[in-house]
Amino acid sequence: MAKMVSDFVIPILGGYECEVGLDALDDASVIGDLVLKSDSHAVQPIFFPGGDIGRLAVAGTVNDIAVLGAQPLALACGLILEEGLAFEDLRRVLTSVRSACEEADVSVITGDTKVVEKECLGGLVINMSGIGRGDEALEHNIKIARQYRKTLDTKWILDKNLREGDKIILSGTVGDHGVAIMSTQENIGLRNEVRSDVKPLNHMIGKILKVGGIVSMKDPTRGGLANSLNEWREKSHVGIQIQESHIPIRNDVRAACEILGIDPLEVGNEGKVIIGVVKEQAEEVLEELRSTDEGREAEIIGEATGEFNLVTMKTIVGGKRIITTPIGDPVPRIC
Ligand code: MG
């Protein structure tokens, strides 16, 4: 998918000069003072443990706007419905969109509905677009970061801002969403049902911006932690070193991954962020995160290094493993 985007989409649609454009392939774009994001959701099944396609669509777009340091202003919802979708299911999904919007303090203010023949959509697909704007919390955050890094030349939190010495914080357990979807798709009865972590995180992010010093932030969705860390590595030209013992993973998620033969670091999440923060502010940001419900299991999992341009993990048994960009998706139609 990444290669398809860089080989086909960017050469044709890219090239427009704005603060953060399509070519940056960041979580969202910036034009003037506005952050803009569009995200399509084709998850299967549309209802899964811990959430549904409606909640996922709101959280996905809100989180991509929030990780640049912005607060969402409004959403646009495009529905593509398949003939035969039960009205009751549509009602359930829209009610879920509404309640996730209330959680994030944002509203759907425009949209579009299309109906297509019964093919292979699996019920419905949702495109959720959104705009956001930076507020005083983002300004404060960048001001604090600049106290320690005079060379920081942007007012946004971007994938390319990570530098040697920055600490990397993970806001909670990884793998929950992907395992919840996969166990439903494959109809694997796990003893304890794993629930998706899908959640809008803009309020949690707003709190840590008030502490300040955050330079990069990302929601490790498709491709999981492994993919997100490698995107940072590539765009920031740093090495990244993480410690396996510091990565929070639920025991049932770890067990399910072992049974299914997948790596929890490559599985998508929908309610977590990784945060790159100047080292002087790392403990304070961690403490603030842990005071929130969504971030109570947060950990400092590693740091950016100047050594070599790789993501490496010190394993629990004392070895070293290179974490590469995942090839293909272990779980199809996860988001
Ligand atoms: Mg993202």
Side-chain angles (χ1 to χ4, degrees), residues 27 64 219 221:
D27 296 85
D64 275 342
D219 53 340
T221 50

Side-chain angles (χ1 to χ4, degrees), residues 25-237:
L25 292 174
D26 213 308
D27 296 85
S29 286
V30 179
I31 182 154
D33 278 335
L34 290 178
V35 172
L36 176 65
K37 174 65 188 180
S38 181
D39 207 342
S40 296
H41 298 271
V43 67
Q44 271 304 305
I46 59 173
F47 301 104
F48 48 83
D52 57 72
I53 192 169
R55 181 171 174 79
L56 187 68
V58 174
T61 299
V62 163
N63 292 347
D64 275 342
I65 290 171
V67 291
L68 266 80
Q71 279 297 333
L73 279 178
L75 300 177
C77 178
L79 297 171
I80 301 171
L81 314 176
E82 202 171 66
E83 272 177 351
L85 173 71
F87 277 119
E88 198 37 54
D89 286 349
L90 181 59
R91 189 192 314 278
R92 248 178 96 188
V93 169
L94 294 178
T95 306
S96 176
V97 166
R98 175 85 199 209
S99 84
C101 280
E102 282 166 6
E103 218 176 299
D105 241 330
V106 70
S107 294
V108 171
I109 60 163
T110 186
D112 175 63
T113 306
K114 293 281 187 301
V115 178
V116 297
E117 305 86 345
K118 199 167 179 60
E119 289 274 346
C120 55
L121 287 187
L124 84 158
V125 166
I126 300 181
N127 175 275
M128 193 67 81
S129 299
I131 49 170
R133 198 158 44 196
D135 60 7
E136 317 82 65
L138 174 61
E139 266 173 50
H140 168 82
N141 172 74
I142 295 293
K143 199 176 101 194
I144 299 291
R146 283 205 181 114
Q147 284 177 7
Y148 302 101
R149 178 158 328 135
K150 305 271 181 287
T151 53
L152 188 64
D153 60 352
T154 167
K155 52 184 187 172
W156 301 95
I157 296 170
L158 303 175
D159 290 348
K160 63 172 188 177
N161 292 347
L162 205 64
R163 294 293 175 271
E164 181 179 355
D166 289 343
K167 295 289 180 189
I168 295 167
I169 300 174
L170 171 61
S171 70
T173 56
V174 288
D176 306 23
H177 177 72
V179 167
I181 299 291
M182 196 165 186
S183 60
T184 318
Q185 284 176 352
E186 303 292 327
N187 201 11
I188 300 161
L190 301 171
R191 199 182 314 156
N192 299 311
E193 185 187 59
V194 174
R195 294 170 66 81
S196 167
D197 57 355
V198 55
K199 190 168 182 57
L201 297 171
N202 53 316
H203 295 314
M204 178 190 84
I205 290 171
K207 282 186 184 153
I208 55 173
L209 291 177
K210 286 181 188 148
V211 176
I214 295 162
V215 291
S216 298
M217 196 153 38
K218 204 162 191 63
D219 53 340
T221 50
R222 196 168 42 193
L225 191 59
N227 192 57
S228 293
L229 292 174
N230 275 290
E231 279 194 41
W232 275 1
R233 170 189 66 74
E234 257 177 54
K235 294 180 196 172
S236 289
H237 310 288

